[in-house]
């Protein structure tokens, strides 16, 4: 069948058009660092105002402890802002530190219910709910009760009043924390599902064009690090339009799924197998030399011919192979599509030369011997009435 080629503006996508984090930097770590730095800076700034208001802080050494605490918060915030990276353990430590700081503040002021209400723990609760895992979140919920008890212990003449105030404040804070944590997990699940939809072909479950582009920097880095070549294989099912016309699109979809399953079982774990449109699939991986790349292509061709897709009818694939040694300064995305274009041209040569064969880009075609299985007819000659190459 005649396969319409996509415009160059879609085949060659620039890096800035591809969503996703820059190589080597996790965006969640950077965002977490900035948020925690902002919370620390705001807490230190607001807390420092008490140093300039008469009657707020207790006199004596407590005032210096309070000042040192605010300086520690400010320094930690500045360090996070400069480093712009934070791991899970550091995040958990900062949340626990925030609980401790609240107790220090409450013990440093003259009237905790007036100048250091438990609402100050909302800083810690927000960070815990949004950045901590379930285990550390439970620990924080317990620490909220402990912090409220320690902060308010000297402000009530009877135990009953203290218990009521601690219960009310800690329950409200913990409830808010749990609600925000639940909403966050819901958002994370939706984002994960959205990413999966945006990078997965819905029919076959294979990677799609976007995922292929996102994997290009990793493959290029690995090839340069290991001194290997990058190989691109473009696979196109033979006479697919004829199959759709004869048996319907539902049968064509079944064939595509069966072929995808066969290829998935055959490709190497480090290879990226993607469906880029219609009946065309692309494999990107590493190879030591063109001979190794051709061997991989032959395994894929055989896997398709012997797959469950060919039980009721012959299903074959034409494969074009292109190999390159990645340069140190080239853009992986642009280099990827240049390589795929070369493999695509080789695949067309395989179509023109009889289909069901592998053609290596830049080499002269040497047709491979055909050995039909017993009871299976050999591939028919190209039929001009079938709509051209398919």
């Amino acid at each position: 069948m005649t396969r319409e080629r996509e415009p160059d503006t879609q085949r060659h996508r620039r890096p800035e058009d591809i969503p996703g984090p820059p190589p080597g930097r996790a965006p969640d770590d950077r965002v977490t660092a900035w948020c925690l730095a902002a919370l620390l800076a705001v807490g230190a700034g607001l807390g420092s105002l008490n140093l300039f208001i008469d009657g707020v802080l207790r006199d004596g050494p407590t005032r210096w402890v309070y000042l040192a605490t605010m300086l520690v918060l400010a320094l930690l915030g500045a360090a996070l802002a400069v480093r712009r990276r934070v791991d899970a353990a550091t995040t958990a430590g900062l949340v626990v530190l925030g609980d401790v700081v609240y107790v220090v503040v409450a013990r440093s002021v003259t009237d905790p219910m007036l100048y250091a209400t438990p609402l100050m723990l909302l800083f810690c609760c927000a960070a815990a709910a949004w950045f901590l895992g379930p285990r550390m979140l439970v620990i924080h919920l317990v620490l909220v009760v402990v912090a409220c008890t320690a902060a308010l212990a000297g402000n009530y003449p009877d135990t009953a009043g203290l218990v009521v105030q601690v219960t009310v404040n800690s329950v409200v804070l913990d409830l808010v924390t749990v609600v925000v944590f639940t909403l966050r997990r819901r958002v994370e699940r939706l984002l994960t599902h959205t990413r999966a939809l945006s990078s997965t072909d819905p029919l076959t479950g294979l990677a799609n064009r976007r995922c292929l582009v996102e994997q290009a920097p990793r493959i290029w880095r690995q090839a340069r690090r290991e001194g290997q070549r990058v190989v691109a294989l473009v696979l196109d099912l033979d006479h697919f339009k004829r199959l759709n016309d004869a048996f319907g699109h539902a049968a064509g979809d079944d064939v595509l799924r069966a072929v995808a399953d066969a290829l998935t079982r055959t490709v190497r774990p480090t290879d990226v197998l993607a469906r880029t449109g219609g009946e065309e699939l692309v494999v990107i991986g590493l190879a030591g030399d063109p001979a190794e790349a051709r061997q991989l292509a032959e395994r894929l061709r055989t896997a398709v011919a012997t797959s469950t897709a060919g039980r009721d009818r012959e299903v074959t694939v034409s494969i074009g192979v292109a190999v390159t040694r990645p340069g140190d300064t080239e853009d992986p995305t642009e280099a990827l599509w240049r390589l795929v274009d070369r493999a695509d041209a080789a695949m067309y040569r395989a179509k023109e030369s009889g289909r069901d064969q592998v053609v290596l880009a830049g080499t002269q075609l040497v047709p491979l011997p055909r050995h039909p299985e017993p009871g299976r007819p050999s591939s028919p000659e190209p039929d001009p009435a079938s709509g051209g190459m398919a």
Side-chain angles (χ1 to χ4, degrees):
M1 76 185 228
T2 303
R3 187 166 58 87
E4 183 179 353
R5 297 177 67 91
E6 296 183 0
D8 289 341
T9 56
Q10 295 184 10
R11 289 181 65 86
H12 301 284
R13 301 173 65 184
R14 297 182 62 82
E16 57 265 32
D17 299 328
I18 307 301
R25 176 64 61 87
D28 290 343
D29 290 345
R30 187 168 60 247
V31 171
T32 303
W34 278 113
C35 289
L36 292 175
L39 288 175
L40 289 169
V42 171
L46 294 178
S48 298
L49 295 177
N50 292 330
L51 294 167
F52 306 99
I53 303 176
D54 293 335
V56 174
L57 296 177
R58 300 177 188 271
D59 295 328
T62 305
R63 189 180 189 90
W64 294 104
V65 173
Y66 185 91
L67 174 60
T69 302
M70 296 302 108
L71 288 175
V72 168
L73 293 180
L75 291 175
L76 287 174
L80 284 179
V82 172
R83 190 164 181 256
R84 293 183 294 179
R85 293 173 61 186
V86 62
D87 55 24
T90 303
T91 302
L94 289 173
V95 171
V96 173
L97 176 64
D99 295 330
V100 175
V101 166
Y102 167 66
V103 176
V104 172
V105 171
R107 290 293 187 175
S108 301
V109 297
T110 56
D111 187 351
M113 293 304 298
L114 181 62
Y115 302 118
T117 66
L119 285 177
M120 291 179 60
L121 284 171
L122 280 176
F123 284 86
C124 302
C125 291
W130 201 254
F131 299 120
L132 295 186
R135 181 180 302 176
M136 285 304 306
L137 184 76
V138 172
I139 294 176
H140 168 73
L141 296 179
V142 175
L143 289 178
V144 167
V145 180
V146 175
C148 288
T149 303
L152 303 178
N155 291 269
Y156 293 91
D158 55 71
T159 304
L162 175 64
V163 170
V164 170
Q165 287 300 318
V166 169
T167 301
V168 170
N169 286 282
S170 60
V171 166
V172 171
L173 290 169
D174 284 350
L175 182 61
V176 170
T177 303
V178 171
V179 169
V180 175
F181 177 79
T182 303
L183 293 175
R184 162 207 161 189
R185 296 301 289 264
R186 175 63 176 169
V187 170
E188 288 176 344
R189 286 194 293 269
L190 290 174
L191 288 175
T192 300
H193 183 62
T194 301
R195 291 192 187 103
L197 289 177
S198 66
S199 60
T200 305
D201 174 58
L203 176 63
T204 61
L206 300 178
N208 61 10
R209 180 183 297 271
R210 173 177 176 172
C211 183
L212 193 67
V213 170
E214 291 175 344
Q215 292 297 317
R218 175 189 65 81
I219 295 174
W220 254 251
R221 288 196 305 271
Q222 184 178 354
R224 286 193 290 262
R225 184 174 61 250
E226 299 178 2
Q228 296 205 61
R229 294 178 173 86
V230 179
V231 55
L233 288 74
V234 173
L235 303 83
D236 194 274
L237 295 182
D238 297 326
H239 299 299
F240 191 71
K241 182 179 184 301
R242 183 186 300 177
L243 185 148
N244 274 333
D245 292 342
F247 301 99
H249 288 281
D253 290 346
D254 290 339
V255 168
L256 283 172
R257 282 190 286 263
V259 168
D261 290 341
L263 294 175
T264 300
R265 292 191 298 268
T266 307
V267 296
R268 301 164 301 184
T270 56
D271 295 334
V272 179
L273 170 62
R275 182 188 178 203
T276 55
E279 69 275 21
E280 184 177 278
L281 302 102
V282 173
V283 176
I284 301 294
L286 303 181
D289 52 44
E292 181 182 349
R294 186 182 181 93
Q295 289 174 1
L296 172 62
E298 286 295 337
R299 289 200 302 270
L300 298 180
R301 185 187 67 83
T302 302
V304 172
T306 58
S307 68
T308 57
R311 286 179 178 174
D312 300 326
R313 61 192 68 87
E314 185 181 38
V315 176
T316 60
V317 65
S318 299
I319 305 178
V321 183
V323 180
T324 186
R325 188 179 295 279
D328 293 333
T329 59
E330 68 181 356
D331 178 79
T333 302
E334 294 180 356
L336 166 70
W337 292 122
R338 287 196 300 268
L339 187 65
V340 169
D341 281 341
R342 289 175 53 207
D344 194 53
M347 183 275 295
Y348 271 102
R349 289 174 56 200
K351 293 280 191 183
E352 294 168 350
S353 302
R355 300 177 176 85
D356 190 21
Q357 55 189 286
V358 174
V359 172
L360 193 62
T363 63
Q364 184 176 0
L365 172 64
V366 180
L368 297 171
R370 303 284 300 283
H371 300 289
E373 296 180 5
R376 173 182 289 184
S378 60
S379 297
E381 294 297 321
D383 183 5
S386 66
M389 277 183 283

